[in-house]
Amino acid sequence: MKSKEKKGKVLVKIFLILLIAVTIFVAVFLYFRNSVYEHIYTATKAIVLTKINDCVNLSCADYLNKYEYDKFVNLKTDDAGNVILMESKSLNISVVSRELGIVCQKNIDESMPKELIFSSGSFFDRILFSSTGEEVIVPLSITANVFTDIKNVFIATGINQTKHSIYIQVSVDAEVIQPLIGETFKFSTALLIAENIIVGKVPEVFVDSVDGLEYLDLIP
């Protein structure tokens, strides 16, 4: 009888030891996995967004101060010099917007890294062990999509003076796939392509389409 009780106690002790060991293993595994995930995620996000920012800025540089305002807007005035019609040359703006989007897409596709290299020590501590341990190569797959949109901004700058600014909004959705991570990073910036100070009264609406059927209210 006593031997059965003793045997039962031994089995309970073994079970408890195994349970504690498994708990410790799972805790360490989850901590290490979360640490690795956080480190890879932070590094990937910083690198991808920096690359996208550099590519977009490089692409936009060729379009700064390249066009005159009248390439995109047709102004008609009366005998007193007041603007009676503001009409967007939407086809010209769309062409420039599309060209910029294609250039941005090409530069981004060509510059995105295919892999990231970490030191194994950095997974434990990014400060103390950032340069220790073996190199760990993490494959990286990035699919970036570039979208462009036109923004017209009207701001009163003085008595009978209105500043009209035309922007191309460049937005990028970058889908990143790598071990432990599947995320979409978003980036957006606005490029000023033309602006003008309109002196005198402005019309109540701005014709903002190729067919003349879309309007932007200038006076609330």
Side-chain angles (χ1 to χ4, degrees):
M1 188 72 177
K2 289 185 179 179
S3 93
K4 287 184 179 180
E5 290 180 357
K6 186 176 181 181
K7 186 176 180 181
K9 290 181 180 179
V10 170
L11 291 176
V12 170
K13 288 181 180 179
I14 293 174
F15 174 77
L16 290 176
I17 292 173
L18 290 175
L19 181 62
I20 293 172
V22 170
T23 302
I24 293 174
F25 173 80
V26 171
V28 171
F29 172 78
L30 291 177
Y31 172 80
F32 181 71
R33 189 192 67 174
N34 292 338
S35 176
V36 171
Y37 172 86
E38 181 184 357
H39 185 42
I40 293 177
Y41 174 85
T42 302
T44 301
K45 183 177 181 180
I47 291 172
V48 169
L49 292 181
T50 299
K51 285 286 187 181
I52 291 175
N53 181 66
D54 291 344
C55 290
V56 172
N57 287 337
L58 177 64
S59 303
C60 291
D62 293 335
Y63 290 83
L64 293 174
N65 304 316
K66 183 177 181 179
Y67 302 103
E68 297 294 332
Y69 177 79
D70 57 10
K71 178 180 177 63
F72 304 116
V73 178
N74 181 30
L75 292 179
K76 291 184 179 179
T77 58
D78 59 17
D79 294 337
N82 295 316
V83 178
I84 59 175
L85 175 66
M86 292 184 65
E87 184 178 18
S88 170
K89 298 179 181 178
S90 298
L91 183 60
N92 290 349
I93 298 178
S94 297
V95 169
V96 173
S97 176
R98 178 174 173 76
E99 287 178 353
L100 177 59
I102 292 173
V103 172
C104 288
Q105 185 74 64
K106 181 175 181 294
N107 287 339
I108 291 173
D109 289 342
E110 292 178 350
S111 66
M112 284 295 104
K114 303 299 182 183
E115 61 185 26
L116 297 179
I117 300 177
F118 301 90
S119 63
S120 57
S122 65
F123 294 133
F124 296 94
D125 191 301
R126 277 174 272 178
I127 298 176
L128 295 177
F129 306 116
S130 60
S131 301
T132 61
E134 298 294 325
E135 285 189 348
V136 177
I137 299 176
V138 179
L140 190 64
S141 175
I142 302 174
T143 302
N145 294 304
V146 179
F147 307 93
T148 57
D149 193 16
I150 310 299
K151 301 292 183 183
N152 288 283
V153 179
F154 294 86
I155 300 175
T157 58
I159 300 176
N160 287 333
Q161 291 186 349
T162 303
K163 181 171 71 171
H164 177 204
S165 303
I166 304 173
Y167 294 90
I168 296 180
Q169 187 80 27
V170 181
S171 302
V172 182
D173 289 349
E175 184 178 0
V176 179
I177 300 175
Q178 61 185 166
L180 302 179
I181 294 178
E183 295 285 344
T184 297
F185 300 131
K186 296 182 179 295
F187 174 88
S188 183
T189 189
L191 168 68
L192 176 65
I193 58 170
E195 68 179 359
N196 185 39
I197 300 295
I198 302 170
V199 180
K201 296 180 180 180
V202 297
E204 294 185 2
V205 296
F206 172 52
V207 183
D208 190 23
S209 68
V210 176
D211 55 15
L213 298 179
E214 295 180 11
Y215 301 90
L216 177 66
D217 291 331
L218 300 184
I219 300 177

